[in-house]
Amino acid sequence: MQLTSPRLRAALLAAASLTLVAAVVPVPKALGIGDPLFPELGNPGYDVLSYDLSFAYKDNRTPLDAVTVIDARTLERLETVNLDFTHGKVASAEVNGEPATFASVGEDLVLTPARPVERGAPLHVTIRHTSDPRGRGDGGWVVTDDGLAMANQADAAHRVFPCNDHPADKAYFTFRITAPAGTTAVANGVPGALPAALRAGSATTWTYRTLHPMATELAQVSLGTSAVVHGTGPHGLPLRDVVPAADRERLEPWLKKTAGHIEWMEARVGRYPFENYGVLIAKARTGFELETQTLSLFESGLFTGGGGYPEWYVESVMVHELAHQWFGDSVSPRTWSDLWLNEGHATWYEALYADGLGKYSLERRMREAYQRSDQWRAAGGPPAAPKPAAPGEKIGLFRPAVYDGAALILYALRQEIGAEAFDRVERRWVGEHRDAVAGTGDFVRLASQEAGRDLGPFLEPWLYGKTTPAMPGHPEWGGPKSV
């Protein structure tokens, strides 16, 4: 039919255009990859290859101006691109060099590109935004006495920068940090260039890059009046510690212990997996320490406060965070329910180290854990199937069941298959899954291969049971397991 009326033709064309737009542009909605504990975390449809993050810092009370550049590859055709991001304001967004519209939905930032991105095509995203250190106590930026640091575990990286905030999607990182004169900026990895002064006596831009892929939860940026202490570890490994400048002298005895800790770990699981290592000691009260990749975060009070911690305990905590560089950082969890593999292993080597110092025997610690294990499982779920944290208490996921309760599983495995087979499991685990992600099923399969038999029936009740199985080799540990 030919349209003869110009007014009718215009009206019909306008209606058709609106229908076409409605059909092509979907309503923005929050997505997730379906993690059992964080179902809206992560985003489907693409694999991030690299992040390039720029931050301009003024002080720890002012939002940072930031630019996030993401390079990825698409796994499916994308009409919208979802990123995890909240607690910042977006000024503009581009997808593959063209302006994109954007909307915040829940804790997602939903970008609508000018045209869909086809499956297998490169995806290049640029977002100009702020990154706000104020007003949140549940992760992301940590305000220190002299600046900022990051504590992104488990789901808080997207409170700092737009990202695919799940450890199953690891990527390379570049950091470009501009800070006023007198402020030292340090981040994961190695310096990408010498610090560049913008104007004499004004701001300086610091650049760092990782040489291995990293989960978003492990990103670290430190800003403050800091001293950077350099040293050398085993095999010429560069050591780099970041400490409050005023406390450098009294902290150096602790810093000198790191090389020995690395030697101790390497004797048990093999070569350290990254480009460098060090501790970041921040003047902050967090209530935790954190295994940010290549630069573990510690509160200064552990070393300098009046807590009265014995030296052996402080060292064992240092070993715990170091052990995470293999278990949790190099080998990242496939889902957050696999957290027991991170914390159980770090607790295991922490306990072994304390045992070697003659201060707290491994068998005593494991027996005490065994007595409490049923109570922990009832409160927080079994180690490999933890209950979700309560709303607003995401750090509540880090319960005793995934620490000593999970280390107890490793003790039971060693009792069942013998120390030599167990040591082979540990070395193979970090060797075969280096720079990758792996989960509980992968661990059970590998352990079964080393044992020469299917360990599924043995490990399943340890991993998922509501009550704790009998401990091999310790019939005397029977009876009530709660106190």
Side-chain angles (χ1 to χ4, degrees), residues 176-227:
R176 308 173 197 275
I177 310 149
T178 302
T183 299
T184 298
V186 184
N188 313 84
V190 300
L194 293 175
L198 300 183
R199 293 190 306 274
S202 64
T204 298
T205 296
W206 310 70
T207 303
Y208 299 89
R209 58 190 175 87
T210 65
L211 304 186
H212 296 262
M214 180 170 69
T216 51
E217 51 124 354
L218 302 174
Q220 182 58 267
V221 171
S222 165
L223 290 145
T225 310
S226 306

Side-chain angles (χ1 to χ4, degrees), residues 63-255:
L64 291 77
D65 292 327
V67 180
T68 294
V69 179
I70 298 172
D71 279 296
R73 63 184 180 91
T74 57
L75 305 176
E76 59 188 60
R77 187 177 188 268
L78 296 176
E79 296 183 353
T80 60
V81 179
N82 279 56
L83 297 166
D84 300 303
F85 185 56
T86 186
H87 202 53
K89 295 181 179 179
V90 176
S92 66
E94 294 179 0
V95 174
N96 290 341
E98 297 183 292
T101 61
F102 54 89
S104 294
V105 183
E107 295 197 355
D108 273 19
L109 173 64
V110 184
L111 310 182
T112 303
R115 54 184 52 81
V117 184
E118 299 300 328
R119 178 180 180 180
L123 176 64
H124 182 80
V125 175
T126 301
I127 302 167
R128 289 170 174 81
H129 61 96
T130 61
S131 185
D132 198 336
R134 303 169 302 175
R136 296 295 289 261
D138 53 355
W141 288 116
V142 173
V143 176
T144 67
D145 287 0
D146 61 344
L148 295 173
M150 282 188 195
N152 294 333
Q153 198 175 81
D155 68 331
H158 69 280
R159 295 174 197 150
V160 178
F161 58 96
C163 57
N164 199 23
D165 197 7
H166 194 280
D169 192 1
K170 300 168 72 165
Y172 292 89
F173 279 71
T174 298
F175 301 89
R176 308 173 197 275
I177 310 149
T178 302
T183 299
T184 298
V186 184
N188 313 84
V190 300
L194 293 175
L198 300 183
R199 293 190 306 274
S202 64
T204 298
T205 296
W206 310 70
T207 303
Y208 299 89
R209 58 190 175 87
T210 65
L211 304 186
H212 296 262
M214 180 170 69
T216 51
E217 51 124 354
L218 302 174
Q220 182 58 267
V221 171
S222 165
L223 290 145
T225 310
S226 306
V228 181
V229 183
H230 295 280
T232 304
H235 323 292
L237 177 72
L239 300 181
R240 175 195 58 166
D241 302 305
V242 183
V243 301
D247 296 332
R248 174 175 177 167
E249 185 174 344
R250 64 171 170 164
L251 288 171
E252 281 200 355
W254 292 108
L255 307 182

Side-chain angles (χ1 to χ4, degrees), residues 413 416-418 421-422 424-425 428 444-456:
L413 176 62
E416 178 73 9
I417 67 176
F422 178 81
R424 292 196 301 270
V425 169
R428 278 190 61 191
V444 173
R445 282 189 291 274
L446 190 150
S448 297
Q449 291 170 8
E450 285 299 331
R453 58 188 172 91
D454 181 9
L455 289 175

